[in-house]
Amino acid sequence: MNTLEKKTLVMENPSLVFKSDIPSGSVAWQSPSNIALVKYWGKKDIQIPCNPSVSFTLSTSTTETRLEFEPNTEGRVSIEFYLDKVRNEKFETKIVSFLDSIVPIFPFLNQLKFKAYSSNTFPHSAGIASSASGMSALALCLCAIEKQYFNTLAIENEFYQKASYIARLGSGSACRSLYGGIVSWGEIAGVTNTSNEYGTCLNDVVHPDFLNFKDSILIVDAAQKKVSSRVGHGLMNTNPFSMERFKQANTNIAALLKAMKENDMETFMSITESEALTLHAMMMTSMPYFLLMKPNTITLIEKIWDYRQQTGNPVCFTLDAGPNIHLLYPQRIENEVSKFIKADLTNFLHDSCWLEDCVGNGPKIV
Ligand code: PMV
C-alpha cells in the first residue's frame, strides 16, 4: 500500500454514522477565494499536486454557504444546490459526485438529505473562479456537522486541517482557502508541517507587510473560460516541459519564501510575475495548446511594467487560469495605485470593472 492510500484510509472513519435519532439542522460558513503566487498546475493520484504552491488568501471575494439537513431515507447522497437562491443543476451534479466520493470519510452523508444555499460576494460576470471559496465553504460545513454531532475535531488545528483535506478533494487549490494570510499546499523542503494533502498557514515565516498586501482584480474579460482547470492539469501529463516546470516551482517557492521573509520586493515581484507567465506558457505548450490571455491582458501587463519603471512603485501582477489581472502591491501605496488604475487602465477593462481586494483573515462561521 502506498503512503497516499494509507493516509486516505486514515481519514476514512466508519464510526461517523448516526446510530439513532438522525438530526435536522443547519450550518453556515463564509470562505474566501485565494490567488496563487507560485502556481499549482499538474496533478497526480487523488488531487495530489505535482509541485508545491503558495497563495494569498483574499478578503472580499468570498462564498457563503448554508447547508440545511434532515433525515434521509433514500440511503444515498441527496442534495439540492441553490446558487443565489436559484437551483443550479450543473453544480448539483458535480457536488453529488463529490459527496459520493467522500462517503467513506463522512459515512453520515448517506443518512442526511441536504439543501445547500450558496452565494458569492463577487459578481458571476467577474470571471473569478468560485471553486476555491465554494469548496472550502462546503468542506467547513461538513466538518462542522461532524464536530457538532460526533464530538470530534474539537482541536482547532484538526478541524481546519480536515476541512482543508476535504476541500482539496473537491478542488485542489481550495485547500489553501482554509487559512488567512499566506498559505502553502504541497511539501516544501525545509518548511515544517507542509503537506501534499492539505494547506499550511505560513504567516509566521514571512514579513508582516505581506499580510496587508492589496490585490486589485482587473477584469479583462468576464466570459466563462473555454478550457477547464481539470483539462489543463491533465494536459501537463504530456507537456514536454512539465518535469522542468515542476522542478522550477520548487526552486521558485524556496526563493519566494526567502524574499517574503526578508521583505525583498524585487525578488518577490520577479518570481510572482514569472510564475504567472510560466503558467500560461504551460497552456501554450500543451497539446492541444490553448491561450487564456486576451489582447488587453498583454496591454495591461505592459502598462504595469511602464508604471513600475517610471514611478519605482512596487506593483506587480499575477494571473489565474484566465485573462484577468491581479495587481499586487503593498497597502502603503494604495492611493497612488488607485489613481493609476483610474487614469491609465480602466479603458482596457471589461465594463471599466475592477474589484478591490486584499489579503484576508480566512473563513468565518456565519
Ligand atoms: O484548484 P484548481 O483545480 O481549480 O486549479 C487551480 C489552478 C490555478 O488557479 C491556475 C493555480 C493555483 O495554484 O491556484
Side-chain angles (χ1 to χ4, degrees):
M1 193 186 299
N2 67 29
T3 337
L4 171 71
E5 280 167 343
K6 263 193 227 149
K7 285 196 176 153
T8 310
L9 281 178
V10 171
M11 275 292 171
E12 289 184 10
N13 190 348
S15 68
L16 297 179
V17 281
F18 296 110
K19 305 271 169 6
S20 56
D21 290 346
I22 301 175
S24 297
S26 79
V27 286
W29 278 84
Q30 185 192 65
S31 192
S33 186
N34 68 71
I35 179 69
L37 303 168
V38 171
K39 309 290 181 182
Y40 146 63
W41 197 244
K43 61 178 163 184
K44 53 193 176 187
D45 305 325
I46 312 169
Q47 301 273 83
I48 295 297
C50 290
N51 63 260
S53 56
V54 65
S55 54
F56 279 148
T57 293
L58 297 180
S59 172
T60 57
S61 304
T62 63
T63 298
E64 185 174 315
T65 297
R66 190 174 84 251
L67 197 56
E68 295 181 353
F69 50 90
E70 58 183 33
N72 174 15
T73 48
E74 291 172 37
R76 63 183 162 84
V77 164
S78 162
I79 185 164
E80 287 176 18
F81 182 82
Y82 295 82
L83 181 63
D84 297 327
K85 301 197 178 116
V86 180
R87 192 152 172 197
N88 186 311
E89 291 185 2
K90 190 176 130 217
F91 284 137
E92 196 169 289
T93 311
K94 285 188 184 165
I95 289 171
V96 168
S97 65
F98 168 58
L99 294 181
D100 263 334
S101 74
I102 57 171
V103 167
I105 300 175
F106 295 123
F108 62 82
L109 287 177
N110 278 337
Q111 299 177 291
L112 297 172
K113 189 172 171 167
F114 293 101
K115 280 187 184 161
Y117 295 92
S118 221
S119 57
N120 300 325
T121 50
F122 43 93
H124 187 61
S125 61
I128 298 179
S130 56
S131 58
S133 49
M135 273 303 166
S136 51
L138 180 62
L140 283 159
C141 288
L142 297 175
C143 289
I145 295 175
E146 178 186 327
K147 182 178 172 192
Q148 184 174 349
Y149 294 100
F150 297 95
N151 295 322
T152 52
L153 306 178
I155 299 165
E156 203 176 276
N157 277 352
E158 281 178 17
F159 178 85
Y160 284 100
Q161 198 173 87
K162 181 156 186 180
S164 179
Y165 182 103
I166 300 297
R168 179 198 107 233
L169 296 176
S171 166
S173 62
C175 76
R176 298 186 308 241
S177 280
L178 275 298
Y179 304 95
I182 287 105
V183 184
S184 68
W185 169 38
E187 281 168 23
I188 308 174
V191 184
T192 43
N193 297 326
T194 54
S195 166
N196 285 337
E197 318 242 330
Y198 46 77
T200 304
C201 181
L202 296 184
N203 295 352
D204 289 347
V205 299
V206 301
H207 190 280
D209 278 7
F210 286 102
L211 300 177
N212 296 322
F213 241 62
K214 305 285 295 180
D215 178 4
S216 298
I217 308 169
L218 308 174
I219 310 301
V220 172
D221 189 300
Q224 179 118 28
K225 58 185 178 202
K226 290 192 189 70
V227 181
S228 69
S229 294
R230 190 179 52 79
V231 170
H233 286 295
L235 290 172
M236 285 300 276
N237 294 333
T238 50
N239 185 306
F241 304 105
S242 60
M243 287 305 156
E244 260 327 293
R245 159 61 195 154
F246 302 145
K247 260 200 263 165
Q248 178 206 38
N250 280 279
T251 313
N252 277 350
I253 212 161
L256 185 85
L257 291 177
K258 181 171 181 288
M260 290 176 85
K261 185 175 181 184
E262 294 167 0
N263 208 5
D264 169 358
M265 208 53 86
E266 289 302 316
T267 308
F268 170 82
M269 292 192 297
S270 74
I271 295 174
T272 299
E273 291 189 344
S274 165
E275 276 288 321
L277 296 177
T278 302
L279 168 69
H280 285 256
M282 290 300 110
M283 299 171 186
M284 291 182 226
T285 52
S286 288
M287 192 55 83
Y289 46 83
F290 61 107
L291 189 57
L292 297 182
M293 287 193 258
K294 297 282 177 191
N296 279 345
T297 311
I298 309 287
T299 305
L300 289 164
I301 289 174
E302 288 183 332
K303 291 204 167 282
I304 293 161
W305 285 340
D306 286 348
Y307 174 81
R308 184 161 80 217
Q309 202 180 15
Q310 282 157 18
T311 61
N313 279 341
V315 288
C316 68
F317 72 87
T318 188
L319 302 162
D320 216 339
N324 301 328
I325 298 223
H326 290 250
L327 190 64
L328 305 176
Y329 51 94
Q331 189 182 35
R332 67 185 155 78
I333 56 168
E334 78 179 303
N335 292 338
E336 282 167 76
V337 177
S338 175
K339 282 185 205 142
F340 162 56
I341 295 173
K342 285 179 193 147
D344 294 351
L345 305 186
T346 41
N347 279 349
F348 304 97
L349 303 180
H350 170 81
D351 284 345
S352 304
C353 173
W354 81 96
L355 305 174
E356 288 300 354
D357 212 329
C358 58
V359 175
N361 299 326
K364 279 198 302 229
I365 193 159
V366 181

